[in-house]
Amino acid sequence: MIEATSSCTGCGACQQICPVKAVKLIPDKEGFLYPSVDIEKCIKCNLCEKCCPIDNLVLKSEEKGRPIVLAAQNREDNILLKSTSGGAFAVLAKYVLSKNGIVFGACMNEKLECFHTAITDISQLKELQGSKYVQSATGETFLQTKQALENGRIVLYSGTPCQIGGLKCFLKKKYENLITVDIVCHGVPNQCLFDQYIEWKQNKMNATIDAYIFREKERCDWNSPYNYFSIYVNKRKKFEKVIFDPYYWLFLNEASYRESCYQCAYANDQRVGDITIADFWGVEKFFDSFDLKRGVSLILLNTEKGKVMLEYIKENMYTEDATIDMAKERNKNLSAPTSRPEIRSQVYNIVAEKGIDGVLKLMQKNPKYYVAIVKSYVPVKVKAKIKRFFK
Ligand SMILES: Cc1cc2nc3c(=O)[nH]c(=O)nc-3n(C[C@H](O)[C@H](O)[C@H](O)COP(=O)(O)OP(=O)(O)OC[C@H]3O[C@@H](n4cnc5c(N)ncnc54)[C@H](O)[C@@H]3O)c2cc1C
Ligand code: SF4
Ligand code: SF4
Ligand code: SF4
């Protein structure tokens, strides 16, 4: 039967496959979910171990051939505004929904909980659009996917690579009507940390936050290093600078991720999904045809099923043909997992002892914090000139 180890990604496959519901995902002392087995209920069928992707990793390497690599930007501005990168996900979802299919992805509800859910109509697309920088709970979505596939529906399942790995191990067999989409992923903090942070923020503001948008394009350009996020308070949108925020500070300094993220088996160019989507960082070095303000997607069509989408993508997005080397130049998690910074060992203890105020103090003690603030006030054009001067 399954045992929690530091390689566990929390994908939820073991929980969903257990025929007697003996597996539960329980938060550890940091708040990350790990499986726990109720020995009284367990019938020792071993299905949970067999479906765990840690020992049964399914990577794309089983299928030969190079990916088709694209730089791409959605043709619709309203879609681009809601999308984190260039709106690739929206196009893929639209394709599947137009075929009466089902699309699974991560959403965030009004309680600001992040979890996977299904949509069946284009009007629901906005629920899944946009990155949520919290680990999404897969719930029963692997079971729902299997049922939909068995009923002959086309299913698109999108998520972090470890979620796609978990789904594939859970399903065991290949389905022609399943399209998997993985994102390039550097790591995830957990829901408990996010909840504590939201409570801290609400107390400071003496108001309730109704919605949280992690990457906001209305206030700054997609490629600006000093981004904004936004929150809704009493139905009014409030923009906040990422650099002053303790949750974001931990996230951008890679200090709050799950332990499995620092040893991620999926952080390479052998992708687990039929299609990979990401930010095409550094795209301006290769192509000058995109409006960088709105965001550019990197798309890898990894398998034959992925490559079938090429024509539809070209119809709905401005595209340029790229190469995997271009993609890897500025996207480090296509080559290796995120390195575990030294402060990772302290972060969750600080949160447990001193709450988010403790993180704020840690942030304000760090010299890099002040460098980032100063840099954020230097106009982009001036920065480019300084860079050129030192070349
Ligand atoms: C935690 C996380 C880390 C990331 N790290 C990188 C990175 O290092 N480099 C990079 O280039 N891109 C990274 N991305 C991907 C990038 O931010 C965009 O999500 C991606 O390019 C898709 O953008 P889009 O414009 O096509 O669509 P969007 O509408 O912005 O994306 C929606 C898609 O993101 C998925 N998604 C959103 N939040 C989550 C979540 N919490 N868990 C699982 N799936 C989620 C949805 O299911 C949907 O498939 C990361 C995303 C997340 C959520
Ligand atoms: S990686 Fe997934 S299947 Fe394996 S133990 Fe963790 S939650 Fe369970
Ligand atoms: S061995 Fe079978 S019954 Fe026991 S926890 Fe695993 S899946 Fe459930
Ligand atoms: S970094 Fe790897 S283990 Fe962590 S959430 Fe992303 S895919 Fe999963």
Side-chain angles (χ1 to χ4, degrees):
M1 103 193 82
I2 204 83
E3 272 175 37
T5 67
S6 67
S7 326
C8 167
T9 64
C11 73
C14 55
Q15 180 190 34
Q16 296 185 58
I17 209 148
C18 179
V20 292
K21 300 209 178 302
V23 184
K24 281 206 161 54
L25 293 181
I26 311 275
D28 72 350
K29 66 180 190 335
E30 295 185 337
F32 290 101
L33 299 177
Y34 287 89
S36 164
V37 176
D38 182 340
I39 310 287
E40 304 280 298
K41 278 190 187 168
C42 174
I43 52 168
K44 299 190 172 55
C45 64
N46 234 11
L47 281 173
C48 50
E49 263 184 55
K50 284 187 197 146
C51 80
C52 176
I54 297 171
D55 296 324
N56 310 287
L57 197 62
V58 191
L59 285 178
K60 181 231 155 192
S61 45
E62 55 195 67
E63 210 176 303
K64 299 257 181 314
R66 282 165 168 266
I68 294 176
V69 185
L70 299 171
Q73 187 167 57
N74 204 298
R75 291 179 193 270
E76 292 181 53
D77 200 50
N78 60 332
I79 297 268
L80 269 179
L81 258 184
K82 286 202 169 63
S83 306
T84 305
S85 315
F89 168 72
V91 168
L92 303 173
K94 220 169 97 181
Y95 173 85
V96 170
L97 294 173
S98 73
K99 302 206 168 309
N100 195 29
I102 305 180
V103 175
F104 287 87
C107 72
M108 187 164 260
N109 65 11
E110 64 287 352
K111 289 185 189 157
L112 308 185
E113 295 159 334
C114 182
F115 57 92
H116 262 59
T117 192
I119 61 164
T120 51
D121 190 87
I122 196 75
S123 62
Q124 301 166 296
L125 181 63
K126 56 185 179 304
E127 292 176 28
L128 305 188
Q129 275 180 287
S131 288
K132 294 96 189 164
Y133 294 137
V134 187
Q135 183 161 35
S136 171
T138 54
E140 304 232 307
T141 54
F142 294 175
L143 282 159
Q144 291 159 5
T145 297
K146 184 172 174 156
Q147 197 167 31
L149 291 169
E150 299 283 346
N151 289 340
R153 297 282 292 272
I154 298 184
V155 176
L156 183 154
Y157 197 101
S158 68
T160 57
C162 59
Q163 290 170 335
I164 304 300
L167 172 69
K168 283 188 162 186
C169 283
F170 172 90
L171 292 173
K172 286 196 258 344
K173 71 176 205 192
K174 288 185 180 167
Y175 289 87
E176 268 318 301
N177 44 341
L178 172 67
I179 302 166
T180 52
V181 176
D182 69 64
I183 54 181
V184 173
C185 177
H186 49 60
V188 282
N190 65 57
Q191 183 74 49
C192 290
L193 178 67
F194 189 65
D195 290 347
Q196 269 173 280
Y197 154 73
I198 291 295
E199 201 184 324
W200 171 85
K201 218 169 159 44
Q202 293 186 148
N203 287 340
K204 275 188 166 273
M205 294 163 47
N206 199 18
T208 305
I209 300 172
D210 307 315
Y212 194 107
I213 295 154
F214 287 81
R215 294 262 297 267
E216 182 54 69
K217 287 184 184 165
E218 272 181 42
R219 262 298 160 91
C220 67
D221 299 350
W222 160 76
N223 61 340
S224 156
Y226 303 107
N227 282 319
Y228 283 81
F229 64 93
S230 66
I231 52 179
Y232 277 87
V233 178
N234 298 328
K235 300 212 162 80
R236 288 187 58 189
K237 199 174 195 175
K238 198 170 168 293
F239 296 95
E240 300 220 5
K241 264 193 172 182
V242 157
I243 45 166
F244 297 120
D245 186 77
Y247 183 84
Y248 243 112
W249 184 78
L250 288 178
F251 185 72
L252 293 178
N253 283 285
E254 306 170 335
S256 53
Y257 302 165
R258 195 180 172 99
E259 289 296 354
S260 59
C261 301
Y262 303 110
Q263 38 177 307
C264 179
Y266 304 93
N268 52 55
D269 58 9
Q270 294 297 297
R271 305 305 298 176
V272 66
D274 294 306
I275 301 171
T276 297
I277 53 176
D279 288 296
F280 204 133
W281 299 126
V283 68
E284 64 278 13
K285 189 175 162 190
F286 309 108
F287 311 106
D288 56 11
S289 48
F290 294 107
D291 173 8
L292 295 183
K293 285 184 186 158
R294 289 298 200 231
V296 183
S297 284
L298 164 69
I299 306 180
L300 309 181
L301 302 175
N302 302 312
T303 63
E304 286 314 312
K305 260 194 261 174
K307 287 171 188 168
V308 167
M309 307 281 274
L310 181 61
E311 209 176 306
Y312 189 81
I313 290 170
K314 290 203 165 184
E315 271 168 31
N316 288 275
M317 302 184 85
Y318 301 110
T319 61
E320 295 280 3
D321 295 334
T323 65
I324 192 72
D325 290 336
M326 289 177 187
K328 286 167 85 169
E329 195 166 308
R330 289 271 310 276
N331 212 326
K332 62 179 185 176
N333 295 105
L334 277 171
S335 303
T338 298
S339 305
R340 189 179 188 279
E342 258 177 50
I343 57 162
R344 172 63 180 80
S345 309
Q346 305 169 36
V347 164
Y348 283 92
N349 291 336
I350 291 174
V351 174
E353 282 166 23
K354 298 181 182 145
I356 302 297
D357 276 326
V359 178
L360 197 66
K361 283 206 178 105
L362 187 71
M363 174 173 111
Q364 290 167 346
K365 268 201 299 194
N366 194 308
K368 278 191 197 160
Y369 168 65
Y370 298 97
V371 175
I373 294 174
V374 173
K375 275 189 177 171
S376 77
Y377 288 104
V378 181
V380 178
K381 279 185 186 161
V382 177
K383 259 183 236 157
K385 272 190 186 161
I386 296 173
K387 256 191 182 171
R388 274 201 297 276
F389 181 78
F390 283 106
K391 259 190 183 173

